[in-house]
Amino acid sequence: MLLDKITGPADLRRLDDASMSELATEIRERIVEVVNKNGGHLGSNLGAVELTLALHRVFDSPNDIILWDTGHQAYVHKLVTGRIQQFPSLRQPGGLSGYPSRAESPHDWIENSHASTVLSYAHGLAVAQELHGDPKRRIVAVIGDGSLTGGMAYEGLNNLGHSQSNVIVILNDNGRSYAPTVSRLGESLSRLRSNPTYRRQQARLERMLGEMPMVGGYLERGVEGAKAAIREILEPPAFFENLGVRYIGPFDGHDLPSLERALSNAAATEGPVVVHVMTQKGRGYGPAENDPIKNLHDLSELKDGSFTAAFSDAMLVEGARRPELVALTAAMPDSTGLLPFGQRFPGRLIDVGIAEQHAVTSAAGMAMGGLRPVFAVYSTFLTRAFDQVNLDVGLHRQPVVFVLDRAGITGDDGASHHGVLDMVLLTKVPDMTVFAPSSYGEVGQMLHDALDLCTGPAAIRFPKTMPPASTDGDVGSGPVGAAGS
Ligand SMILES: Cc1ncc(C[n+]2csc(CCOP(=O)(O)OP(=O)(O)O)c2C)c(N)n1
């Protein structure tokens, strides 16, 4: 096995093209084997194999800084940065984290699993670099098209363009978050995907535009149509370039030699540059390639006999009773149990993208407009929208229901996924009622009560799994402090 001989990125640079392609196959096999056993993120990692290999051949990590947005797609990075032996312990107690981890490796700079932060870290590192860093060190930020729907990503892009910081942004575009990405920009990006010869066309169309006849100062109608088509082609590059960030691409994210050329060119660029890389989620593994819901983004599924399933059922009941009930998700329609609601009540499930802050304030607007919004979200992700919950919903006394899945300790999802702050924060919000079901059966009753009885905001929080029940005698009888002595 080639893979077992890779002790670090330098070993990758010694391999020829044929060996690299063999290595990519071995990596996919290893990831499928371990994730099928331990759970974790599958589709996202299978799609990022060649991209990760190219990054580690062109850049010199950890001196060059490679940052992964969200971090769920960093398994390949772990495998080629000296963690092959520990990989079977992925997400196990005492084993490798499911995300980058600063304690695990100097190649891991950031470790939070919340999306859309990477461009801000990159900007900060670039400022530090300029003021007192090694001028040769490069900063590379990898972000998915899904994570690019989050507000912080736009704030970061705007700032990078304005400051002209030396950051290489890799846009890993597979057209999906879990579900297809909610983004007009994403749609334009995917038109480029189906149009690889667009650069040639772009030049031709630009020439044509320059030669267009003007009739009484106005372009003719047919010409207007052509212009609209041209705009569609030019939109994504224009979007980045108007912000002051150079755009190159799109590149085939599974063609290693061409990716390496693209990355080398980007490395020689002054100022911020976006390298647009097209990848296929779940690449090389049939069940993931063919999963229509989320390309096996991860291996969690809606189980009967869970809080999520109870909530999913309760939404069908309440949705039928109340035509004004709408459901919101921040790019997680499947994991939050809202897909059945969306199928039963078309148009009443609103996916806002990975944009929790926007979701909360948008829910306030929906409530002001007479709807009863239910925002289903993991507890850990609501935390970033606390200001919106407090002011835009709470201060305005709007009847928004927050349904917080994964409240409390979440086990193998790791430190940044624990939902440990919602209770302390939500109980400070004006007019907020917090419900905490202790059985699946209570979920439906509490949703019903939150909608029927609460005139202001309400939250229903429940854990990922039922806590293990203790029986009489299980609870400690030894002297206090005995464990430490
Ligand atoms: C703030 C926040 N909300 C929700 C999530 C849950 N989540 C994890 S990965 C993901 C999709 C990411 O899509 P993309 O960035 O395109 O990466 P891909 O997996 O498609 O490569 C979502 C919604 C998250 N990590 N952070």
Side-chain angles (χ1 to χ4, degrees):
M1 279 242 148
L2 275 172
L3 179 57
D4 292 314
K5 299 197 186 78
I6 304 295
T7 58
D11 292 337
L12 297 176
R13 291 179 213 122
R14 287 192 267 276
L15 299 180
D16 60 17
D17 286 356
S19 308
M20 284 306 291
S21 125
E22 202 180 317
L23 180 70
T25 305
E26 289 181 14
I27 287 176
R28 286 198 166 88
E29 285 166 2
R30 188 72 57 96
I31 288 175
V32 168
E33 180 194 321
V34 170
V35 176
N36 271 328
K37 217 147 106 216
N38 298 7
H41 290 94
L42 192 56
S44 315
N45 281 289
L46 295 176
V49 174
E50 287 81 7
L51 174 58
T52 310
L53 294 177
L55 283 166
H56 277 294
R57 271 160 63 98
V58 171
F59 297 99
D60 178 23
S61 173
N63 184 49
D64 289 336
I65 300 176
I66 302 177
L67 304 165
W68 302 94
D69 195 277
T70 313
H72 63 302
Q73 75 294 57
Y75 296 177
V76 190
H77 163 82
K78 289 192 183 223
L79 283 170
V80 300
T81 52
R83 285 170 271 182
I84 292 167
Q85 300 311 324
Q86 299 106 293
F87 197 62
S89 71
L90 186 76
R91 293 167 60 96
Q92 303 304 297
L96 288 187
S97 161
Y99 295 91
S101 159
R102 288 165 67 90
E104 269 174 30
S105 168
H107 294 275
D108 296 3
W109 283 76
I110 54 176
E111 60 181 57
N112 53 311
S113 61
H114 288 206
S116 318
T117 61
V118 79
L119 302 184
S120 307
Y121 281 117
H123 174 260
L125 283 159
V127 170
Q129 178 91 342
E130 255 162 54
L131 291 181
H132 66 123
D134 160 10
K136 290 211 197 74
R137 165 175 264 182
R138 278 133 345 154
I139 299 164
V140 185
V142 184
I143 184 164
D145 56 301
S147 298
L148 195 63
T149 60
M152 265 187 91
Y154 292 102
E155 295 167 31
L157 261 185
N158 181 55
N159 202 179
L160 284 176
H162 187 256
S163 60
Q164 285 300 297
S165 312
N166 279 327
V167 170
I168 299 157
V169 178
I170 311 295
L171 173 54
N172 172 16
D173 180 6
N174 54 29
R176 304 184 71 98
S177 277
Y178 282 61
T181 296
V182 173
S183 163
R184 175 80 175 77
L185 173 65
E187 286 163 21
S188 309
L189 289 171
S190 67
R191 272 194 289 276
L192 290 190
R193 174 200 288 275
S194 57
N195 188 1
T197 54
Y198 99 102
R199 278 220 173 276
R200 226 177 333 116
Q201 290 177 348
Q202 176 183 344
R204 201 156 43 100
L205 290 168
E206 273 172 350
R207 225 176 19 253
M208 232 176 74
L209 250 190
E211 293 162 3
M212 271 178 184
M214 302 291 279
V215 180
Y218 295 97
L219 290 170
E220 285 184 88
R221 272 179 91 195
V223 176
E224 279 296 351
K227 259 185 73 183
I230 295 164
R231 260 198 307 273
E232 282 193 353
I233 291 175
L234 299 183
E235 220 168 57
F239 170 79
F240 293 108
E241 299 207 349
N242 285 341
L243 288 170
V245 179
R246 257 197 80 194
Y247 168 94
I248 59 169
F251 300 101
D252 177 349
H254 302 294
D255 175 350
L256 192 59
S258 104
L259 265 182
E260 289 182 27
R261 276 193 302 278
L263 294 177
S264 303
N265 287 339
T269 303
E270 274 298 305
V273 57
V274 167
V275 185
H276 185 190
V277 177
M278 301 297 201
T279 57
Q280 180 189 10
K281 203 157 180 167
R283 173 87 168 194
Y285 181 54
E289 286 185 2
N290 300 326
D291 168 23
I293 295 186
K294 54 179 175 178
N295 287 127
L296 296 188
H297 173 98
D298 55 30
L299 287 195
S300 66
E301 58 196 44
L302 188 58
K303 295 187 194 94
D304 283 343
S306 66
F307 282 108
T308 315
F311 164 64
S312 189
D313 293 344
M315 281 298 282
L316 295 179
V317 175
E318 295 304 319
R321 286 182 57 227
R322 299 170 171 274
E324 73 283 13
L325 184 75
V326 290
L328 278 95
T329 174
M332 301 181 69
D334 169 57
S335 317
T336 52
L338 287 176
L339 278 184
F341 179 89
Q343 279 150 8
R344 177 79 64 84
F345 306 110
R348 288 166 59 186
L349 168 59
I350 294 126
D351 184 345
V352 298
I354 307 182
E356 288 78 7
Q357 293 161 295
H358 161 65
V360 172
T361 306
S362 169
M366 288 175 198
M368 286 172 185
L371 297 175
R372 289 305 306 270
V374 174
F375 178 27
V377 59
Y378 284 7
S379 165
T380 185
F381 300 136
L382 186 70
T383 308
R384 68 163 45 181
F386 176 67
D387 186 61
Q388 286 76 6
V389 174
N390 187 39
L391 297 184
D392 303 339
V393 174
L395 184 73
H396 290 75
R397 307 289 201 271
Q398 291 306 307
V400 173
V401 179
F402 299 96
V403 174
L404 309 187
D405 203 327
R406 308 296 200 265
I409 302 295
T410 56
D412 50 13
D413 285 325
S416 59
H417 262 57
H418 297 318
V420 288
L421 295 176
D422 64 83
M423 275 294 255
V424 72
L425 293 173
L426 291 178
T427 48
K428 306 294 174 289
V429 172
D431 259 9
M432 174 70 79
T433 307
V434 181
F435 297 82
S438 57
S439 68
Y440 305 144
E442 281 174 349
V443 175
Q445 184 63 49
M446 287 182 171
L447 181 64
H448 182 86
D449 290 349
L451 290 164
D452 250 22
L453 305 177
C454 296
T455 53
I460 304 171
R461 71 184 302 274
F462 46 76
K464 183 176 179 180
T465 50
M466 284 294 273
S470 59
T471 52
D472 285 351
D474 280 352
V475 180
S477 53
V480 175
S485 59

